[in-house]
């Protein structure tokens, strides 16, 4: 059974710092991996989608990498800003299912 | 383009009452999903649909029913609400099995 883990559960950094959020999954047979942002009381906003054949995806200050063999993905945020404060969720889609398996998220606070 | 919209945004029900949550998308997506989000449990799939007229069970389908009569709409029904169904419900849609787009959520409290 696929399980997705995100560590740490919470992270507080000063503005301007580069940071890495981690996501690990137990079954390497994934179809794709998606990173989301969730603001308090709001829905999920898709940030990046990495297909299983890709190693990384970039969007602005965000870079997501995927290492299927080790069951890991990282989300790199460059030059963090207070507006980046949110909960970041990763989710994997397995080959045999349409559903996304979510991690519990990392709650990020960027201090001015 | 409104994307994915959900109605209502908030609702309080008494145990045993019924209600329907409506999800609508204007992206012509074939696939639609209902998730619930609970503290410490993450998001879990309730039901999903891969096309008009088709539905399937997800991880936690008990106590819920769904219908997909029109391609753009996906309804989630609670026939007899229970306190364990207090949660935030999210609808999502996708083009085939690609990137999923989420609605703003419905916060449901069952007393």
């Amino acid at each position: 059974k696929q399980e997705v883990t995100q560590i740490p559960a919470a992270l507080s950094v000063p503005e301007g710092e580069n940071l890495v959020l981690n996501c690990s999954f137990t079954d390497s047979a994934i179809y794709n991996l998606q990173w989301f942002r969730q603001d308090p009381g709001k829905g999920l906003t898709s940030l990046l989608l990495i297909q299983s054949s890709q190693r990384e995806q970039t969007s602005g200050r965000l870079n997501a990498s995927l290492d299927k063999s080790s069951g890991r993905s990282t989300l790199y945020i460059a030059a963090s800003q207070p507006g980046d404060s949110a909960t970041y969720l990763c989710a994997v889609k397995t080959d045999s299912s349409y559903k996304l398996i979510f991690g519990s998220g990392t709650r990020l606070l960027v201090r001015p | 383009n409104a994307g994915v919209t959900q109605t209502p945004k908030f609702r309080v029900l008494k145990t045993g009452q019924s209600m329907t949550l409506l999800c609508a998308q204007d992206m012509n997506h074939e696939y639609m999903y209902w998730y619930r989000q609970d503290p410490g449990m993450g998001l879990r799939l309730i039901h999903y649909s891969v096309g008009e007229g088709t539905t399937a069970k997800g991880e936690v389908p008990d106590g819920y029913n769904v219908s997909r009569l029109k391609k753009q709409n996906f309804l989630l029904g609670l026939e007899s609400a229970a306190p364990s169904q207090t949660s935030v419900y999210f609808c999502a849609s996708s083009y085939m099995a690609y990137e999923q787009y989420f609605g703003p959520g419905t916060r449901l409290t069952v007393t």
Side-chain angles (χ1 to χ4, degrees), chain A residues 1 31-32 34 36 38 41-49 51 89 93 97-104, chain B residues 31 33 35 37 40-45 48 50 58-59 90 94 96-105 107:
Chain A
K1 178 185 174 186
Y31 185 77
N32 61 43
Q34 199 167 351
F36 295 89
Q38 185 175 27
K42 303 292 186 183
L44 281 68
T45 300
S46 179
L47 298 173
L48 290 164
L49 173 74
Q51 299 292 352
L89 297 158
K93 186 185 293 292
S97 171
Y98 299 110
K99 68 180 181 182
L100 286 173
I101 310 293
F102 281 85
S104 295
Chain B
Y31 294 4
Y33 316 81
Y35 293 88
Q37 185 177 36
M41 302 290 289
L43 279 96
R44 294 176 292 169
L45 183 67
Y48 64 97
V50 299
E59 285 180 87
F90 288 102
S94 67
M96 305 302 282
Y98 295 112
E99 190 172 4
Q100 291 191 17
Y101 295 86
F102 281 72
R107 190 173 297 273

Side-chain angles (χ1 to χ4, degrees), chain A residues 31-100:
Chain A
Y31 185 77
N32 61 43
L33 184 146
Q34 199 167 351
W35 280 95
F36 295 89
R37 168 188 172 133
Q38 185 175 27
D39 294 286
K42 303 292 186 183
L44 281 68
T45 300
S46 179
L47 298 173
L48 290 164
L49 173 74
I50 310 178
Q51 299 292 352
S52 62
S53 58
Q54 296 176 317
R55 296 283 294 181
E56 64 178 319
Q57 281 283 350
T58 297
S59 175
R61 294 182 294 109
L62 305 179
N63 176 276
S65 67
L66 176 64
D67 184 342
K68 279 177 49 177
S69 61
S70 66
R72 294 175 64 179
S73 176
T74 61
L75 179 67
Y76 174 83
I77 302 177
S80 59
Q81 303 170 358
D84 295 329
S85 298
T87 296
Y88 291 80
L89 297 158
C90 73
V92 300
K93 186 185 293 292
T94 62
D95 284 335
S96 60
S97 171
Y98 299 110
K99 68 180 181 182
L100 286 173

Side-chain angles (χ1 to χ4, degrees), chain B residues 9-58:
Chain B
K9 288 184 171 49
F10 304 93
R11 186 72 185 268
V12 178
L13 287 179
K14 293 188 189 307
T15 297
Q17 288 184 320
S18 64
M19 77 163 294
T20 300
L21 282 67
L22 171 64
C23 175
Q25 53 93 5
D26 61 3
M27 295 175 282
N28 202 33
H29 286 165
E30 288 291 340
Y31 294 4
M32 296 187 75
Y33 316 81
W34 276 108
Y35 293 88
R36 59 178 289 173
Q37 185 177 36
D38 303 290
M41 302 290 289
L43 279 96
R44 294 176 292 169
L45 183 67
I46 305 171
H47 285 280
Y48 64 97
S49 167
V50 299
E52 183 178 319
T54 70
T55 63
K57 295 180 180 180

